[in-house]
Amino acid sequence: MHAAVVSSFDAPPRYDEVAEPVARGRDEMVVEVLAAALHPRVRSQADGSHYTSTEELPLVPGIDAVVRDSKGRIRYTVLDDTTLGTMAERTVIEADRSVVLPDTIDPVLVAAAMNPVMSSWVALQRRIEFRRRQRVLILGATGSAGRMAIQVAKRFGAGQVVAAGRDVARLEKLRALGADVVCTFDDVARAADVDVVIDYVWGDPAARAMVALLTARADRSAPLTWVQIGSVAGPDAPIPSAALRSARLQIVGSGIGSVPGRDFVKELPKMAAAVADGAFDVRARAVPLAEVERAWVGTAGTPERIVFVP
Ligand SMILES: NC(=O)c1ccc[n+]([C@@H]2O[C@H](COP(=O)([O-])OP(=O)(O)OC[C@H]3O[C@@H](n4cnc5c(N)ncnc54)[C@H](OP(=O)(O)O)[C@@H]3O)[C@@H](O)[C@H]2O)c1
């Protein structure tokens, strides 16, 4: 069969032939892949930079997909990092890490939406104790995950959602998704009194935003939970020690490891139902898997999520 194949962490995957997959475990099944999205997480899998990377090559990338099983049922599935991911004509999944979807869904839209929706959904439902009417600031709100975080926070009853980013034109469009306030990273002091920060950015912009926010807070003893989810601006952030002493700041991360895999899986049916119901505004572009090498380069950070269709 054909698949996207990574043979070197320094080069994009190539469309190539690989061996047919074989189901081994009791819960495993071979499925036909309908749509697999190119999330930043998949890029870091394919360039070996993700913290779960085993550096084993060659590998077929892809950590989730919409698939069709041997009985014709459509499923959304998540995969561990394995050398056979979802960017292939067929792959192996574990039934209990998948959820059956109505066969009326659009595989491309569901594949595009699930990973970015999951990032804030799991953070607010499983990582912290989020309460209705709490105010939320999203750093990196213009990306796929940030756009979804606005909609997810509203869905869970956020009292106010502030969307922060670096591109003013893109920020303005976020009001239509439910953002009550939009601001640039330099202006986050406007969101000084939020209760929760959902941070996709990290690096210097997040450290600067943290100091600006804490300094401008009306009541520094009011709890502020900073949920670290992505690191598009850098893996390290220079957080001054005073930030932790001078305000009631709690920094937590949300991702595989800090949230048990079973908790992600438990949220899958509800997330998938919401996505399938059209609850979220999703921007996706279907690309034939045969064009993987060309589509991989130069599309990072594009507003539409690339979704490969074998
Ligand atoms: N832990 C989890 O469960 C989980 C799940 C999903 C995603 N993530 C992570 O979340 C992050 C965002 O994912 P995504 O799907 O939203 O990616 P995306 O669609 O590619 O969006 C990237 C976002 O980051 C911004 N950005 C890029 N470089 C930046 C920089 N140097 N400084 C400031 N902002 C910058 C972009 O702003 P512009 O619009 O201005 O370009 C955009 O808002 C990634 O790190 C991803 O791995 C984590």
Side-chain angles (χ1 to χ4, degrees):
M1 68 164 182
H2 282 96
V5 181
V6 177
S7 306
S8 156
F9 289 127
D10 300 326
R14 300 182 69 167
Y15 190 64
D16 212 341
E17 295 230 8
V18 297
E20 281 292 336
V22 180
R24 293 207 164 80
R26 208 161 45 92
D27 192 39
E28 288 187 351
M29 57 170 96
V30 174
V31 293
E32 177 193 352
V33 178
L34 303 179
L38 178 47
H39 315 297
R41 166 76 176 77
V42 180
R43 288 184 187 277
S44 62
Q45 175 191 29
D47 68 17
S49 65
H50 195 260
Y51 62 85
T52 58
S53 173
T54 60
E55 300 194 354
E56 201 181 335
L57 288 176
L59 69 84
V60 173
I63 49 133
D64 68 347
V66 176
V67 301
R68 185 185 288 118
D69 68 22
S70 60
K71 293 188 175 139
R73 285 173 303 204
I74 307 293
R75 292 171 181 265
Y76 169 76
T77 189
V78 288
L79 252 62
D80 275 336
D81 278 69
T82 66
T83 48
L84 177 60
T86 52
M87 292 188 171
E89 290 179 289
R90 285 168 288 285
T91 193
V92 177
I93 70 163
E94 290 170 40
D96 66 1
R97 302 189 69 201
S98 72
V99 53
V100 176
L101 300 171
D103 53 15
T104 48
I105 58 113
D106 178 337
V108 170
L109 289 187
V110 173
M114 286 296 286
N115 170 271
V117 166
M118 203 178 299
S119 67
S120 51
W121 183 301
V122 167
L124 296 182
Q125 294 297 97
R126 294 277 169 175
R127 186 64 180 93
I128 67 170
E129 287 184 16
F130 182 70
R131 296 188 307 280
R132 295 182 70 79
R133 288 187 287 285
Q134 285 193 310
R135 293 155 297 181
V136 178
L137 166 65
I138 299 161
L139 291 182
T142 54
S144 292
R147 294 176 81 256
M148 294 302 177
I150 297 168
Q151 301 170 74
V152 167
K154 283 283 175 173
R155 185 180 178 90
F156 293 140
Q160 186 190 43
V161 174
V162 183
R166 57 183 183 175
D167 184 318
V168 175
R170 278 190 187 178
L171 282 169
E172 277 306 322
K173 293 185 185 145
L174 301 180
R175 294 184 198 276
L177 299 180
D180 300 294
V181 178
V182 298
C183 63
T184 61
F185 293 132
D186 294 334
D187 205 16
V188 284
R190 290 176 64 189
D193 294 315
V194 295
D195 305 293
V196 173
V197 177
I198 296 179
D199 175 10
Y200 293 108
V201 173
W202 208 235
D204 286 326
R208 281 198 300 273
M210 195 181 283
V211 171
L213 213 66
L214 295 177
T215 313
R217 229 160 144 69
D219 175 6
R220 290 198 197 177
S221 66
L224 172 63
T225 306
W226 195 287
V227 195
Q228 209 307 298
I229 301 186
S231 49
V232 289
D236 305 308
I239 309 296
S241 63
L244 293 159
R245 289 199 303 272
S246 63
R248 192 136 178 220
L249 169 67
Q250 181 185 204
I251 306 176
V252 301
S254 183
I256 293 287
S258 53
V259 178
R262 63 179 176 276
D263 284 8
F264 275 90
V265 170
K266 277 188 193 148
E267 291 301 319
L268 277 186
K270 285 175 274 179
M271 278 186 282
V275 169
D277 280 354
F280 302 108
D281 180 279
V282 187
R283 300 174 74 182
R285 174 149 59 97
V287 173
L289 184 59
E291 294 173 19
V292 61
E293 193 173 353
R294 193 155 52 87
W296 202 272
V297 182
T299 50
T302 47
E304 295 166 320
R305 176 110 315 158
I306 303 288
V307 179
F308 291 114
V309 180

